[in-house]
Every structure is written in C-alpha cells, then in structure tokens.
Amino acid sequence: MNFGLIIVGDEILSGKRQDKHLAKVIELLSARGLALAWSHYVGDDPARITAILRTAFESGDVVFSCGGIGATPDDHTRPCAAAALGRPLALHPEASELIMARVRLMAAEKGWPDDPEHPDTVHRLNMGVFPVGAEIIANPYNQIPGFSVGDVHFVPGFPVMAHPMIEALLDSRYAHLHGGAAQVERSVVVYGSMEASLTPLMIELEARFPPIKVFSLPSVDHPVHGRHIELGVKGRDGQALSDAYAALLDGLRNFGAELGPEMVRP
C-alpha cells in the first residue's frame, strides 16, 4: 500500500507555524521499512479540503490527515470529510464518553461545569462529531480522539498529539506492512557532465530494469564536490538493484564521465 499525508492549516502556508509533520511521518515510516508516496499542504478552504479528501478516500492509500479537527470556525476537516464521503455527521458515542471524561476531570481540577447541556460542554462535544461510520483514534495526550474512515486517518494538528497517534496506527493496524517498501539507494558522484547528456542512459536503465528507479541530484555549489551530479538507482535490495547499478557505472565509463565517491543509503 502507498502512504500519503495531508497537512491542513492556513498557519502553515502563511509561515506563522513551521510544519513538523512531514519530516516526522517520513521518519516514522522509514523506521518501519515504509515510505511516503505523496503529501499535500492545504489551507483552511473547505472546497479544497473536500476535494483533496475525496481523492484520498478514492485512492486506496493509507492517508494521515493532520489538523483542522477541532471545533472552532476555522476547523473544517470533519465536515469536509463527511462531504467527501457523502455521509452525515453525528456525535460518536465512544468519542462522547471520552470527551465527557475529560470534561469531568477538568471540572474537578478547575471548577468548571460538567453539565452535558452546558454551552461549553456542548462545544467540546462537537470535537467528537465525525462522519457516520467512523472509528475513533485514541489520543494519549488529552483523550480527545481523532477518527478513521477506512484507511484515511484524521489526527490533530498538534505534533505532540498527532505523532504518537500515527505511530500507534503504524504499529497496530499496519504492522503487517512493515518492511514492505524498504529501499536502498546506490549512487555515484559524476563530475563535469550535464544532465541532458546523461538522460538517455537514465531512460535506458529504467527500461532495462523496471523495478528500479533512476535518480539524478545535481548540485552547483557543494562544499566538498563543487558542481556535480549524484546519479544513482533505488529499489528493493537484491539482484535487480545490483545489476542496475553495475549497468549505470558501465554506461558512465563508456560515456567517459569522471566519477567520484560511491554511496549506499538504506
């Protein structure tokens, strides 16, 4: 299965807050031999959020959506998920119990009202209003849950909450996939060549070794290698990767390229 990530919030796009989700999700997946296939940033625009979520639900991918599941006017993710699915919203019974437990705890600590009919409590219960048929995702930080519909999972925008929730899903629901996308990269530094000149070789290698991807990372001001291209192949470790890399080196030598250090990355 492919993994995708959606990050919701004007504050990310405006620069008021720096995104911490993309790098962390890549790290969590990589530690389990998995990889992120795609990601989207989207502001607090209901039409755009709905369109992206509709694509996510239809993709068949495992998707994590971070942000916008609160109950303030700029939190659109829950109603947008319902719209994308064509389902109504309803208060999830288990979410209601968890939220009320949190309300009672806060009331005991701070003297707040814990009446389920109190306007403040009703507002808090809105955070448990999910598309009909959703399952909850436990939130160990403050017990206010996220929710899942199929393989699309909705967690808060706060990293301290979102990241443990995503990690728990990976280690429970998707434990059977661990190691399924582990890749190895093998590459070599190439001096004095242009990408355009090396492109035919890259195309030939991808045609000869279909499971393998070829990549090119040019640099113009590297502190050690200066202007160069890191040219390599990536894929599952095995004979196809070894054969593709050997063919890459042979092709570069036949081309007369000046080669530098070679690298292997898990």
Side-chain angles (χ1 to χ4, degrees), residues 11-198:
E11 66 277 7
I12 300 297
L13 299 180
S14 69
K16 289 181 179 178
R17 288 191 177 176
Q18 297 298 309
D19 168 50
K20 296 182 179 179
H21 297 302
L22 180 61
K24 185 63 177 181
V25 169
I26 290 171
E27 175 190 319
L28 292 173
L29 290 170
S30 178
R32 292 156 177 80
L34 303 169
L36 188 67
W38 56 267
S39 67
H40 285 291
Y41 290 96
V42 59
D44 297 317
D45 181 305
R48 291 183 185 275
I49 296 171
T50 300
I52 288 174
L53 291 179
R54 185 175 294 115
T55 300
F57 286 123
E58 293 171 353
S59 69
D61 296 341
V62 178
V63 181
F64 302 109
S65 176
C66 303
I69 65 170
T72 57
D74 60 344
D75 289 317
H76 303 295
T77 301
R78 292 179 296 104
C80 288
L85 290 161
R87 300 183 189 180
L89 288 163
L91 179 60
H92 192 289
E94 193 173 350
S96 175
E97 292 178 10
L98 289 167
I99 293 170
M100 283 305 303
R102 175 70 174 173
V103 167
R104 286 190 290 270
L105 178 63
M106 294 168 64
E109 290 176 349
K110 301 185 178 182
W112 292 354
D114 63 356
D115 177 6
E117 304 300 323
H118 190 280
D120 289 351
T121 302
V122 171
H123 177 72
R124 293 185 180 98
L125 286 169
N126 283 336
M127 290 188 289
V129 173
F130 304 144
V132 169
E135 304 172 62
I136 68 164
I137 305 172
N139 180 348
Y141 185 82
N142 66 359
Q143 286 68 59
I144 307 298
F147 67 98
S148 301
V149 180
D151 289 307
V152 182
H153 309 286
F154 298 85
V155 297
F158 298 105
V160 70
M161 302 180 194
H163 299 167
M165 296 165 77
I166 292 172
E167 189 165 16
L169 285 165
L170 290 173
D171 288 340
S172 57
R173 188 161 178 167
Y174 301 108
H176 64 289
L177 298 177
H178 290 191
Q183 289 197 111
V184 173
E185 295 182 2
R186 300 190 66 179
S187 62
V188 62
V189 170
V190 182
Y191 301 112
S193 297
M194 302 295 291
E195 272 190 307
S197 302
L198 300 175

Side-chain angles (χ1 to χ4, degrees), residues 225-236:
H225 301 296
R227 183 183 293 272
H228 74 280
I229 301 170
E230 181 187 346
L231 196 62
V233 294
K234 59 184 177 181
R236 297 292 295 272

